């Protein structure tokens, strides 16, 4: 839990005022203790100005680099286009300013590696990566079930990640690097063991998905020899749905569909699915930001995914893409 | 959502450093934007000092009246013993300081009425009553289902309020005034109609409940002629469990047991019950406090239960007690 | 379990070829071991002929009395209009032929009493009453949970009986004598204690229910001092729904909505409700008939509700009607 | 539904009086219309005699071949050791007697092929294979959801088959040929398309499973290009659990855990798992036998799995074993 009176608020600058950036800015302003949004940046300046007005943020920039250099900014949230993540992160590291970078840390492994190296050169863990599922109360409970020992050693796990519809412009590869990437981070976190082997599988594809293979099936193996199936289906239509079951020697545990009320109507008993990730992970985003700010104020390392975690997820994603390009062969993930 | 940068933080004093008071203080410190806890008071000073140290609250008082009068305190949370609520509220009203008073507003109808009158005399809605269920996301969704019209007009409702064990020292009457009181507030809020008639019913009582009648059954009728059953069972042992179903002309909606994970072990598929109200209503308490602070900072009336709501709940509770004393006769609730 | 090869099949005559009678006849023919339907009777002869042709029943009568007297009939199922139950039952008793009489045993307490007396005069338990819920696997499991002691002593129970729409021609009284009668039988069976006190309550009535009060609320008390709430709502529209929860000193048990599959579509996860009692209680009807036939073949007393049980349910229903006519006063059920 | 009066009862002989054989015999005797068990055979004669006495079966044999040849036997249920299935089936075919053969039709593909050929030579569909899941009401509903079109075209499916503990004496291969074989039959039935490609995968194995790889993961592909994951875990300990989800272009459907009551105790809300397949598939076995008998009496082809279906399942199992032996390579299933 945060520290409100114990020191000045962290002055945060948010780069990117799209859906994710605006959501972070609003959370920092209205739901996270100990931070104040002092600046917003967006290539499309009016978008940034609109959000800034809404939350009384005093400064607006066109260029994220100007925001990073601003004396009014202590810490930076990077929520701009994926292709810009690495260069903004490197600029912040140069000034020794802490960063919360939306996933992915970088679109390519090489760039991610460069960021990890640059952070190492500073000697400080300045970068947190926005794998927010680590702060989702359901995943936290699931991890607690795993570590409690109540299930025995974990042997197998099954993940499902379905969304209502894919964003325009993506392809089969971006399903892995943008969507499945969440599983590539959360599975090792949950099982406390890195992914060492992957394969990619495809069958019939939805007619709603154009040329993108959808759904896709990944088969992962952790260093601890746990087999993990991952179904990613972006145009599942029926709802936004994250599932995960871990199967141990004496029991299993699984995420439930978050549900507050149940409704009986028209011959059915039903529970509503969220339409997208915003309602599903609202608590996770808030708690992630609060932990980030609390750690900054306390001068301690946060519990966010590290730059190394972000790099590792990208390395695993690259191995999945190699399997995809090679007709589904099993690929060892390089160290 | 709160306003962090838009003006100074509200300086809150918390009276009572027991379970509820400490919880409010910690929330205000670490999870609510725009407030700072500047003072704590408790008859048992070391208890207040301990919480104050934990959250860096600078001042500690033995006497809540001193806290209320302190220049460092803009607004007051009353979480002390029920018997003190009214006098502290009246003292705060005298100074024109806003109050969040834990339920009940007062242990007797007369005292509650005096507080309502005193607030009216100030000409300002200075008092909010801590009926936190109004901020519970599940109840909010349930009310949304009611007002959406999807269920048709509501005809009947069923409430169940069960806890693991009763507090020592209570009796059959306190089951109504301390526990069922939540239903006496939430039912009219949910159905948008006051309770006008009540009766109290008792059958076999648990051997775990001493001389207290437990469970108890209330039958309520709203002005809109909705019949409502309420079972209150304090020593239900199995878990902390709040249920509510509203039944309309074409459908029903009901609270679910909040569940994040499901576990398969030892021949059963199970979902855990919370042990008490703290985990069950953690979000509700946080959101209630945030709304209270946001409203204070914005100079608007908050969405908390009003002093009149608090009085009304006490009036209905008094009618239930009259039925209890009269062997279960139906009692009209006075206006 | 039945005995197929151990003796001749019971030759059953079914009086009434409406929905219930035809269902019984088809079950006896195709799903119950050890019985053969040798005759059907219906005032509306073509209806009986149609069913007889379907199941190869050799004889058809216009008059149930002729069927009862037929030498081809060993045992009789009475599924004709309620008003005829008692006279057919008496006629069968006169000939010493066993009877499975659909509920109610008789539309009035006086008639039911006459049947009970006539059966007593034969010295043999010749009559079973069709309270099929006693054979519903869910209720059987619920009773097992009650008697296991795992819940501790039962203190309170809650029943809900909702149907999609009421039959034409009924009124507020027939809701009790035709529908709630199932609860008036199953509650004492479940709790192993007779109902000794009742009251009837009404609030807002559905606009879909004409002049019939719908829903209705009953408050029952057993000899063992268990309080039971019963909501009966015939025009609930959303589905056919029987609920029952028993609450004990250390735990509760409840019927679930029977569900074989769950479907995710259009932003909802849903389970289908049955449209009426036929699918909901298909197993119960089959198992009830099998038990009746098995007991007849084995020459033992069956586990069906007895004539005395049928009478008792009618006596309790009469007490509920008295409460209804008297504005909801509490009525003691005569012994 | 059966035909009781329409013709003589089928005189059935049951070979094998172990768990499965005794269960079939009891069902035929007490719960299936139109059949009578006239003979039982078991190498261990006293076992057969015990069951025979219980159900009044007049004849007992040591040798199944004698039972097959008996003039008192019209039709044969083969529930003896897997290794005997083919020879008994061939003997029955020689005499033109219909057979319900427990799965597998034969332990090897060659033997199964011989049975299929022998049946073809008779010109009559004399053999039904005991893949009882086809008669499980939940699977029937699931297939109905698939064929209804409500889910759109099916793209992916996920199956899980877990049991409490494995039988002694098995190995990794028998997990496939004895347990996963159910999925190898039901998946093509459900999706109406044969399995054309398989691969076998293994990770960490339970310490409760000795040298048997457990759990195992199969990846199947149907001719219609649906990808199917199958987890088989025999020593799952927590309960007997069959899961299946089909995922279509606009929705999904899945088996539920069959549940009649839910129990609240000791801080948990729980539903019980069956301990083994007997309670889980009790209805399926009864309905399968009833359909077999009904079809025999009506002189029509039954809806049971055919000998060709049984052969196909064995061919697919053999392909899975080839993948197992080859380190998980993808194997095409021969036609």
């Amino acid at each position: 839990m945060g520290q409100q009176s114990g020191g000045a608020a962290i002055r945060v600058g948010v780069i990117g005022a799209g859906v994710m950036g605006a959501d972070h800015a609003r959370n920092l302003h209205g739901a996270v203790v100990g931070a104040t949004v002092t600046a917003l940046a967006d290539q499309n300046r009016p978008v940034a100005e609109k959000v800034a007005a809404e939350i009384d943020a005093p400064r607006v920039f066109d260029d994220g680099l100007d925001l990073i250099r601003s004396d009014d900014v202590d810490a930076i949230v990077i929520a701009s286009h994926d292709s810009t993540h690495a260069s903004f992160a490197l600029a912040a590291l140069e000034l020794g300013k802490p960063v919360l970078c939306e996933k992915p840390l970088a679109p390519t492994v090489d760039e991610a590696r460069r960021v990890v190296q640059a952070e190492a050169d500073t000697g400080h863990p300045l970068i947190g990566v926005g794998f927010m599922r680590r702060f989702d109360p359901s995943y936290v409970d699931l991890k607690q079930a795993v570590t409690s020992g109540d299930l025995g050693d974990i042997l197998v796990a099954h993940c499902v990640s379905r969304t209502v519809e894919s964003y325009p412009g993506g392809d089969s590869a971006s399903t892995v690097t943008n969507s499945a990437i969440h599983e590539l981070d959360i599975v090792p976190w949950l099982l406390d063991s890195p992914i060492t082997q992957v394969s990619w599988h495809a069958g019939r594809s939805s007619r709603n998905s154009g040329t993108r293979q959808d759904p896709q099936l990944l088969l992962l193996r952790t260093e601890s020899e746990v087999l993990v199936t991952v179904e990613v289906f972006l145009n599942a239509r029926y709802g936004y749905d994250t599932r995960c079951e871990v199967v141990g020697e004496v029991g299993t545990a699984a995420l439930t569909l978050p549900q507050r009320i149940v409704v009986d109507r028209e011959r059915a008993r039903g529970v509503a699915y969220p339409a997208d990730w915003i309602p599903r992970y609202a608590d996770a985003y808030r708690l992630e930001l609060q932990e980030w700010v609390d750690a900054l104020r306390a001068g301690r390392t946060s519990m966010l995914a590290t730059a190394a975690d972000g790099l590792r997820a990208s390395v695993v994603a690259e191995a999945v893409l190699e399997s995809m390009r090679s007709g589904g062969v099993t690929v060892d993930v390089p160290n």
Side-chain angles (χ1 to χ4, degrees), chain A residues 5 31 35 49 59 69 74 85 93 103 116 125 133 135 137 169 172 192 194 197 210 225 243 256 260 277 306 311 326:
Chain A
S5 38
E49 280 169 344
R59 308 210 49 184
R69 292 179 200 121
D74 302 325
H85 287 190
L93 286 172
K103 60 90 208 169
V116 167
R133 289 192 190 178
F135 295 89
S172 295
D192 200 23
Q197 211 178 57
E225 293 292 336
R243 303 185 189 182
T256 58
R260 292 171 180 161
W277 77 94
T306 64
L311 168 59
S326 314

Side-chain angles (χ1 to χ4, degrees), chain A residues 15 40-43 45 60-69 88:
Chain A
I15 304 178
L40 278 146
D42 202 292
Q43 281 190 304
R45 190 186 178 94
V60 169
F61 297 94
D62 304 280
D63 187 342
L65 293 174
D66 293 334
L67 177 146
I68 290 168
R69 292 179 200 121
F88 286 139

Side-chain angles (χ1 to χ4, degrees), chain A residues 297-309:
Chain A
R297 295 179 88 200
R300 62 169 171 79
T301 304
S302 85
M303 295 167 65
L304 271 72
T306 64
D309 293 329

Side-chain angles (χ1 to χ4, degrees), chain A residues 165-188:
Chain A
E165 56 182 332
S166 55
Y167 275 81
D171 58 10
S172 295
S174 69
T175 294
V176 175
T177 53
N178 274 345
S179 296
I181 192 92
H182 280 293
E183 265 74 22
L184 302 185
D185 176 69
I186 206 73
V187 163

Side-chain angles (χ1 to χ4, degrees), chain A residues 102-127:
Chain A
E102 259 310 304
K103 60 90 208 169
L105 177 56
T108 69
V109 167
D110 278 355
E111 282 176 289
R113 219 180 285 278
R114 225 169 301 140
V115 176
V116 167
Q117 186 56 52
E119 187 199 40
D121 293 346
T122 70
H124 297 288
L126 288 170
I127 294 200

Side-chain angles (χ1 to χ4, degrees), chain A residues 161-164 206 209 214-216 231-237:
Chain A
S161 190
R162 299 183 190 138
T163 70
V164 173
S206 172
S209 302
D214 191 39
Q216 303 179 9
E231 183 212 306
V232 191
F233 186 10
L234 299 190
N235 288 291
R237 289 295 182 264

Side-chain angles (χ1 to χ4, degrees), chain A residues 36-114:
Chain A
T36 180
V37 180
T38 48
L40 278 146
D42 202 292
Q43 281 190 304
N44 187 343
R45 190 186 178 94
V47 169
E49 280 169 344
K50 188 158 166 293
V51 178
E54 188 189 320
I55 64 170
D56 296 325
R59 308 210 49 184
V60 169
F61 297 94
D62 304 280
D63 187 342
L65 293 174
D66 293 334
L67 177 146
I68 290 168
R69 292 179 200 121
S70 165
D71 285 344
D72 300 334
V73 168
D74 302 325
I76 295 113
V77 170
I78 302 176
S80 47
H81 192 272
D82 290 4
S83 61
T84 66
H85 287 190
S87 55
F88 286 139
L90 290 169
L93 286 172
E94 224 166 274
L95 297 173
K97 293 191 178 182
V99 166
L100 193 173
C101 182
E102 259 310 304
K103 60 90 208 169
L105 177 56
T108 69
V109 167
D110 278 355
E111 282 176 289
R113 219 180 285 278
R114 225 169 301 140

